[in-house]
Amino acid sequence: MGLTDKAKELADTALTKAGELSEVAREKAPGYLDRAADLAVKATDAAAGGVDRATGGRFHERIEEVTAKVGASLDRPRPADSPTVVVEPDEPKQP
C-alpha cells in the first residue's frame, strides 16, 4: 500500500467519523442554545437593573427598549432542522 493509498484511507475514515460526530452535535445543540438564551435573558435583565439603579432611573425607558430588543432577538424561532450532508468516500479505483 502506497503513501497515497494510506492517506486516502485515513481521510475516508476521518470523513466518516466527522459525519458521526456532527450528528451527535446536531442532536445536542438545541438544548445548549436554549440554555444559553435563557442565561442571556437573565444576564440582560440583571445588567439592565444595575444600570437603571446606577443612573437613578434617568434612562429607564431606553434601557427597557434595549432589553426588549435583546429578548426578542433571543426568542426568535430557529430554522428547522436541516439534514446533515455526509459525502461518502468513493470506492478505490482499480488500476
Side-chain angles (χ1 to χ4, degrees):
M1 176 180 279
L3 186 60
T4 305
D5 294 334
K6 183 65 174 174
K8 177 149 177 40
E9 179 184 324
L10 291 173
D12 292 345
T13 301
L15 180 62
T16 302
K17 288 291 183 187
E20 293 169 5
L21 293 175
S22 70
E23 284 300 319
V24 171
R26 183 178 297 280
E27 291 170 5
K28 291 183 178 182
Y32 289 122
L33 290 174
D34 291 339
R35 176 89 170 119
D38 291 343
L39 293 174
V41 167
K42 288 180 184 178
T44 302
D45 289 342
V51 171
D52 201 26
R53 280 190 299 278
T55 60
R58 290 188 313 233
F59 304 103
H60 180 76
E61 287 183 28
R62 290 184 187 166
I63 292 170
E64 288 294 317
E65 288 173 11
V66 171
T67 303
K69 287 180 181 179
V70 169
S73 174
L74 293 171
D75 288 339
R76 280 189 294 200
R78 291 175 186 63
D81 289 336
S82 58
T84 301
V85 177
V86 177
V87 178
E88 292 296 325
D90 295 332
E91 291 297 318
K93 295 179 183 176
Q94 298 297 326

